Amino acid sequence: MATTATVDFWFDPACPYTWLTSRWVVEAATVRPLDVRWRVMSLAVLNEGRDDDPEGDLEGYLWVPVRICAAVLRQYGQEGLGAFYAALWADRGDGGAKQWMNDPGAALADAGLPPELAEAGSRGDYDGAVRASHAEAIALLGPHVGTPIVAAPDPGGDADARIAFFGPVLSRVPRGEEAGRLWDAALLVAGAPGFHELKGAPADPSPDVSGVAVRSVAPHPKGTGATERTASPDR
């Protein structure tokens, strides 16, 4: 039996492309022995000190969802954070193209978590945790990248060897073995000595994330957190 590989996935919860990439990794974990460990990073932190803000976030809203994620992780662990992230971008059936995340308070409730955790988004209580996690991700690749950053064991290296990469940027979530092959390819390319960058055609500036199959969110059986149940993806 193949050894399960722990995959660290650093994400800013407000990025739609990161959401699509996260669903690819979750899908890949259904056909490869992967255990996804959710970690936070922040576009707000990444863009600090720049003369121009590529996100146009003059009011600092990007701090809100990542602070809530840090609070969920601290209080409810990996299962709670995974469930909240899934609920944050879940298609609620409102109709039309979905290009932005759901209300964090509603997502917390959908994930079986206390809606009061949304209050963490307007306070700086978890900023230190966000910055520390972000710094850990950036240390792997440098500040020239963005979200997400993925790190996994090198299948052909020593026991403690890791491969890290930014992205990939996806406009569609691969399913089944297609997701697994892309995972294999990402490790192969990112692990090549001297590899730096690979790009495809320009991405849609406003990706439609509606209809993306996710793990269905259910309240934690003891009411103290949340779990994710696998839903059948649209193929």
Side-chain angles (χ1 to χ4, degrees):
M1 179 179 295
T3 302
T4 299
T6 298
V7 177
D8 287 302
F9 189 94
W10 280 272
F11 67 99
D12 184 303
C15 176
Y17 286 111
T18 297
W19 164 249
L20 293 173
T21 302
S22 78
R23 296 309 96 184
W24 158 62
V25 173
V26 169
E27 183 73 12
T30 67
V31 292
R32 297 292 186 270
L34 307 177
D35 179 25
V36 183
R37 183 163 57 185
W38 304 109
R39 314 284 293 274
V40 296
M41 64 181 299
S42 169
L43 288 169
V45 174
L46 186 69
N47 294 327
E48 282 181 336
R50 294 186 53 156
D51 293 334
D52 62 319
D53 181 356
E55 309 303 326
D57 184 34
L58 300 179
E59 298 180 356
Y61 177 78
L62 289 177
W63 272 105
V64 173
V66 74
R67 284 169 171 164
I68 299 173
C69 282
V72 171
L73 180 60
R74 176 77 60 82
Q75 298 185 39
Y76 294 94
Q78 282 292 313
E79 286 190 349
L81 180 55
F84 173 59
Y85 188 32
L88 195 61
W89 283 94
D91 190 345
R92 298 174 64 88
D94 299 330
K98 179 177 178 60
Q99 297 174 345
W100 189 240
M101 60 187 173
N102 299 315
D103 174 76
L108 286 165
D110 289 346
L113 296 163
E116 296 77 20
L117 282 170
E119 297 172 5
S122 60
R123 303 195 303 262
D125 301 8
Y126 293 91
D127 288 6
V130 171
R131 290 182 183 278
S133 182
H134 178 90
E136 189 175 351
I138 294 300
L140 296 172
L141 297 175
H144 63 289
V145 296
T147 174
I149 291 176
V150 183
D154 183 350
D158 297 332
D160 59 348
R162 305 269 290 171
I163 294 174
F165 54 90
F166 158 65
V169 179
L170 301 171
S171 297
R172 180 182 66 85
V173 179
R175 298 300 184 189
E177 186 56 26
E178 183 185 13
R181 290 195 301 269
L182 180 56
W183 175 258
D184 298 338
L187 290 184
L188 179 64
V189 172
F195 171 76
H196 297 289
E197 186 176 32
L198 179 68
K199 285 188 176 183
D204 185 338
S206 300
D208 179 8
V209 300
S210 58
V212 174
V214 300
R215 293 178 181 271
S216 61
V217 180
H220 190 280
K222 294 184 179 180
T224 58
T227 59
E228 287 185 300
R229 294 189 299 230
T230 301
S232 299
D234 299 326
R235 298 186 185 277

